[in-house]
Amino acid sequence: MENSNKKYPKTDSISKVEEPALEYTKIEKLETEIEYNPVLESLILKAIKESEEGKSIPHEEVMRRLKERYPFLNGV
C-alpha cells in the first residue's frame, strides 16, 4: 500500500468557504390573510373559548398522565 500522504499532501493554508453577506429582515405582517375552512375556524374558536373558561387540562397534567400510561416516554 502506498503512502496516503502522496495522494493528499498537507497544505499550510486551508481554503475557507464564506457565506455571502445577506441582509436578513423580519416580516412584520403578512400582506395577505389566510382563509381557513369554516369548520376548522369554528373548532379553533371553540377551543379558545373553552380554554378561557378553564375547561382545558394544564400541560403538566397531560404530561403526567402520558408518562403514567406510557412509562417508556419518561425521557420525553
Side-chain angles (χ1 to χ4, degrees):
M1 179 179 240
E2 291 184 27
N3 188 352
S4 62
N5 290 335
K6 291 180 181 179
K7 288 184 180 179
Y8 304 106
K10 291 183 179 181
T11 58
D12 292 334
S13 62
I14 298 174
S15 60
K16 297 180 182 178
V17 176
E18 293 184 19
E19 181 179 346
L22 298 174
E23 185 175 327
Y24 296 99
T25 58
K26 179 181 172 186
I27 299 174
E28 294 295 327
K29 185 179 177 184
L30 293 175
E31 304 258 338
T32 60
E33 290 189 25
I34 299 171
E35 292 185 28
Y36 294 104
N37 183 313
V39 174
L40 176 62
E41 187 173 351
S42 66
L43 290 172
I44 291 172
L45 293 174
K46 179 182 176 187
I48 291 171
K49 181 181 174 186
E50 288 177 355
S51 176
E52 289 171 349
E53 293 174 354
K55 295 181 178 178
S56 60
I57 301 172
H59 173 75
E60 291 79 17
E61 178 65 17
V62 171
M63 292 306 292
R64 185 191 66 73
R65 290 180 187 179
L66 277 172
K67 289 177 181 180
E68 185 178 291
R69 187 169 181 179
Y70 305 104
F72 57 86
L73 291 176
N74 283 332
V76 176

